[in-house]
């Protein structure tokens, strides 16, 4: 089982897609099935979206309250409905959004050869507590899905198919060097955004190319080292994952506050004593 997550601000658009009703991307009858709903009343995506937006509006800090995760299983693996629901609940719990505290809608899509479900979470909880954090999702989710698979007796993550090109020694060396460089940079305390990341890798002879959508949002990334081109997904870092890491980076003011030396306090001069009588 694997998990892929994105965040957004449009509950109605997200749920309409999940229900297979979005215009231009509508599903055929039988390709979508409602699987699980928590803390919501209503049979339509519009009604549930209104309720989720109402709760989300109570937090002014959270600009993207929509959490959308796709849980997918290995092609050909038989997963019962009870196992899917159990996996959804456990996933929410381990990510920090137990279904008792959050609004959750889950749809199962049956338009692929592998079982997969779409989880829609409201990051803002019902009890007014802290919102579900988004930092380091791409580090946390593999371990969490592995744990769930083991707990529920599901099959392990399938190995990635390899071609002759994949196992070419020069490409394998380039992939490993790029992977290590990217991991090191993304764990730096004072890391910056896209320009900073690109410049740091350039100093290591690694070229970075970004792909943005019309709104300027980072969608894809590729690298090149010693003439060998490598896609972001080949080293474990897609555009969405880098975007998330950049968004979670501390601001310059925060970094300065963390590294600023503690000002020295002046040492008071000793009091002068008068002559003894």
């Amino acid at each position: 089982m694997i998990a892929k997550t994105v965040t957004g601000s449009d509950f109605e658009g997200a749920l309409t897609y999940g229900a297979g009703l979005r215009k231009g991307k509508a599903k055929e009858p039988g390709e979508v099935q409602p699987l699980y709903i928590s803390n919501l009343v209503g049979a339509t995506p519009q009604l549930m979206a209104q309720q989720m937006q109402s709760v989300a509006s109570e937090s002014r800090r959270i600009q993207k309250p929509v959490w959308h995760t796709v849980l997918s299983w290995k092609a050909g693996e038989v997963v019962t409905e009870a196992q899917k629901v159990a996996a959804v609940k456990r996933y929410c719990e381990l990510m920090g959004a137990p279904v008792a505290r959050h609004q959750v809608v889950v749809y199962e899509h049956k338009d692929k050869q592998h079982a997969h479900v779409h989880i829609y979470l409201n990051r803002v909880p019902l009890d007014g507590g802290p919102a579900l954090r988004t930092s380091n999702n791409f580090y946390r989710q593999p371990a969490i899905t592995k744990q769930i698979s083991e707990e529920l007796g599901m099959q392990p993550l399938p190995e990635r198919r390899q071609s002759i090109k994949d196992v070419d020694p020069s490409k394998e060396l380039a992939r490993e060097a790029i992977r290590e460089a990217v991991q090191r940079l993304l764990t730096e305390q004072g890391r910056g955004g896209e320009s900073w990341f690109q410049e740091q890798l350039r100093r290591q002879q690694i070229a970075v190319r970004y792909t943005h959508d019309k709104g300027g949002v980072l969608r894809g990334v590729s690298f090149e080292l010693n003439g060998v081109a490598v896609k972001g997904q080949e080293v474990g870092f897609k555009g969405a994952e880098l975007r998330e890491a950049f968004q979670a980076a501390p601001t310059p003011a925060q970094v300065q506050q963390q590294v600023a030396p503690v000002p020295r306090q002046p040492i008071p001069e000793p009091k002068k004593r008068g002559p003894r009588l």
Side-chain angles (χ1 to χ4, degrees):
M1 180 176 64
I2 59 174
K4 295 183 179 180
T5 297
V6 295
T7 58
S9 58
D10 183 7
F11 281 108
E12 184 171 341
L15 293 186
T16 300
Y17 173 79
L21 302 175
R22 181 180 289 183
K23 187 176 180 180
K25 296 184 179 180
K27 304 293 183 183
E28 296 295 328
E31 289 186 338
V32 176
Q33 173 185 334
L35 187 67
Y36 180 79
I37 297 176
S38 177
N39 297 312
L40 290 164
V41 178
T44 67
Q46 291 77 15
L47 288 175
M48 291 188 289
Q50 290 172 9
Q51 296 169 60
M52 297 176 89
Q53 184 58 52
S54 177
V55 172
S57 63
E58 296 177 5
S59 174
R60 297 180 179 180
R61 293 179 60 253
I62 305 302
Q63 302 299 313
K64 293 184 176 182
V66 182
W67 176 291
H68 176 197
T69 291
V70 181
L71 283 185
S72 301
W73 285 265
K74 182 179 179 181
E77 181 177 0
V78 178
V79 188
T80 67
E81 182 173 317
Q83 284 179 313
K84 294 169 187 172
V85 172
V88 165
K89 291 181 178 180
R90 190 70 172 124
Y91 170 83
C92 293
E93 179 183 9
L94 292 175
M95 288 301 296
V99 296
R101 296 180 57 234
H102 289 257
Q103 294 167 313
V104 184
V105 182
V106 183
Y107 292 100
E108 179 180 4
H109 286 191
K110 299 182 179 182
D111 55 341
K112 306 289 185 182
Q113 292 185 352
H114 63 276
H116 64 288
V117 300
H118 291 254
I119 304 172
Y120 298 95
L121 270 166
N122 190 343
R123 290 180 55 209
V124 180
L126 295 167
D127 57 13
L132 176 60
R133 64 187 181 93
T134 60
S135 59
N136 295 327
N137 281 346
F138 51 93
Y139 291 127
R140 299 164 62 203
Q141 294 194 136
I144 285 175
T145 52
K146 180 181 179 181
Q147 178 179 340
I148 296 171
S149 296
E150 292 173 350
E151 290 178 355
L152 300 180
M154 297 172 179
Q155 296 182 24
L157 181 70
E159 295 184 1
R160 183 174 61 86
R161 290 182 299 174
Q162 291 187 327
S163 65
I164 296 176
K165 185 178 180 180
D166 288 329
V167 296
D168 176 73
S170 61
K171 188 160 189 176
E172 193 62 39
L173 288 172
R175 274 202 299 257
E176 188 61 31
I178 294 169
R179 182 184 299 111
E180 290 180 358
V182 172
Q183 288 177 334
R184 186 168 54 251
L185 288 175
L186 293 183
T187 57
E188 285 193 10
Q189 188 69 24
R191 67 183 184 275
E194 294 180 31
S195 298
W196 173 88
F197 182 75
Q198 195 170 40
E199 173 60 22
Q200 298 303 311
L201 287 179
R202 185 193 65 79
R203 296 178 182 180
Q204 302 178 54
Q205 310 302 315
I206 300 174
V208 182
R209 296 180 180 84
Y210 296 121
T211 301
H212 300 83
D213 62 17
K214 294 181 179 179
V217 177
L218 177 62
R219 296 298 182 187
V221 62
S222 62
F223 307 92
E224 184 174 326
L225 175 62
N226 298 328
V228 179
V230 177
K231 296 180 181 179
Q233 64 184 14
E234 292 183 87
V235 295
F237 295 93
K238 297 181 181 180
E241 294 166 341
L242 286 182
R243 183 176 70 245
E244 184 176 300
F246 295 152
Q247 291 172 344
T251 64
Q254 290 172 325
V255 174
Q256 181 65 28
Q257 185 177 12
Q258 292 172 354
V259 302
V262 178
R264 298 181 60 183
Q265 299 294 329
I267 301 175
E269 296 182 2
K271 296 182 179 180
K272 294 182 180 181
R273 297 182 179 180
R276 292 184 177 180
L277 299 178

